[in-house]
Amino acid sequence: MNDGCRGSNSREELAWRACPKDRRGGRTLRSVTVCDRMRHGRESKVMDTIDALHKSPAKLAVPMDALAFSFDRKVGDMTITPLTDGYLDPDFKFLRDIPDENVQLLLKLGHRDGPPRASVNAYAVRAGERIFLIDTGSGNTMGPTCGRLFESLEAAGIAPADVEAIMLTHVHPDHSNGLIDLATNTRLFPNAEILLHEKELAHWFDDDEMAAADERAQHRYFEMGRRQLTPYVEAGRVRTFNEGEILPGILAVPCHGHTPGHTAYQIGTGPGAILVWGDTVHVQEVQLPFPDVTVIFDWNPVDAATSRRRIIEKVVAEGLTVAGAHLHFPGFGNIARNGPGYALVQQPELLKM
C-alpha cells in the first residue's frame, strides 16, 4: 500500500484515523502512512529519527535480563513454593456418579479437550533456614508424565538432604512414592522426619485391611505404601498426629474419606493463609461445580464427598488460599460459591521485573 505516495511502501507506519468521505455505519477507518503526515507538514523527520534509533550503538548495548517468573506465595515469614511432579490423564471412568458426556461438557466449558487431566503437585515450605515438604510425588512408578519432583527441587535450589520434615497428605503412589530409592530401599530424604495422620499409618500397616482389598490395591497401595515408609519407620523418622499444630505455624486439618487419614495442612491463620490439600479435588472442572462427584480411588466415597464440602466451606468462610495437589499447576487459587457448587478463582502470578 502506498496511499498515493510513491516510494512509501517500505516506510509505512501502521496507524488509523476516521475518514469522513467514506462512512460505513457512521465511521470508516483507513490506514495512514508516514507520507500522509509529511504531506501535511507534520513530523517530517519521523523516519530519520526511527532509522537513527535502529542504528544506535547505545540501543544495541542496552542489557536485556531474562524475566524471573515466581510462583511462590508468602504467608508471614514462610514461603510456599509449588513443585511439579508432572501430570496424569485418567480415563473418564475414574470419576463416579456422573455420565461421561457430562464430564466432556464440563471440560469443554473449562476450555479443555481430551481426558480430565490432573496435575501432580507437591509444595515446599521455607521457614527461615528450615525446609519442609508437603508430599513427594510419584518417584518412577507412574509413567513418563510423572516423576519430576527432584528436578523441581533442584530448580528451586533445594537439596533433598536439607529437607527437615515431610508432611504427607496421604499414602497414595502419586503423593508418597518419592520417599525412597526402589532399587536400594534407601531414604531419598536422609534427614527428614515423616509426618502423617495416625489413622493413615495404622491403615496401611493393617494386615486385615490389606487382606480385604483387591489384588491391585494390595500391591499398588498397601505393599508400596509399606515399602516407602518402612525405611523411615526403622530409622525412627516417622511421627503421627491427630490434628492441630504439627510444626510452627502449620496446622493439620483432617479431611478423612479419600483415605482413612487424609489430611490438609494450613499454613498461617486468617485471610491470606494457605491451605494445602491433597485429593480433596482431583478434577477441578468437575468436582468444584459438582462436589458430590467422587473417584474410584476413594476409600469411603460418602465421607470423601462430605469432607470435600466441609473443607471447601472452610476455605470460603475463612478467606483462605488453596494450594491443590491436583489443581492445574501451580495449584494456587481462591474458591467462590457458584450456585450449589463452587468455582476456582486462580490468582495472577508475580512477575519480577
Side-chain angles (χ1 to χ4, degrees), residues 2 118 136 165 206 325:
N2 64 30
T136 65
D206 187 317

Side-chain angles (χ1 to χ4, degrees), residues 24 54 56 91 114 117 121 160 179 211 213 253 260 281 306 323 326 330 336 344:
R24 285 178 250 170
H54 279 291
S56 169
D91 186 85
R117 177 164 292 181
N121 305 324
L179 285 172
V253 182
V281 171
T306 300
H326 296 304
L344 181 70

Side-chain angles (χ1 to χ4, degrees), residues 178-194:
L179 285 172
I180 69 167
D181 181 341
L182 289 173
T184 62
N185 286 331
T186 56
R187 291 174 286 144
L188 292 175
F189 299 92
N191 300 312
E193 180 180 45
I194 308 302

Side-chain angles (χ1 to χ4, degrees), residues 7-25:
S8 67
N9 292 12
S10 63
R11 297 179 136 192
E12 189 174 46
E13 177 187 4
L14 295 178
W16 299 92
R17 71 182 178 189
C19 178
K21 294 182 179 179
D22 181 20
R23 296 181 181 274
R24 285 178 250 170

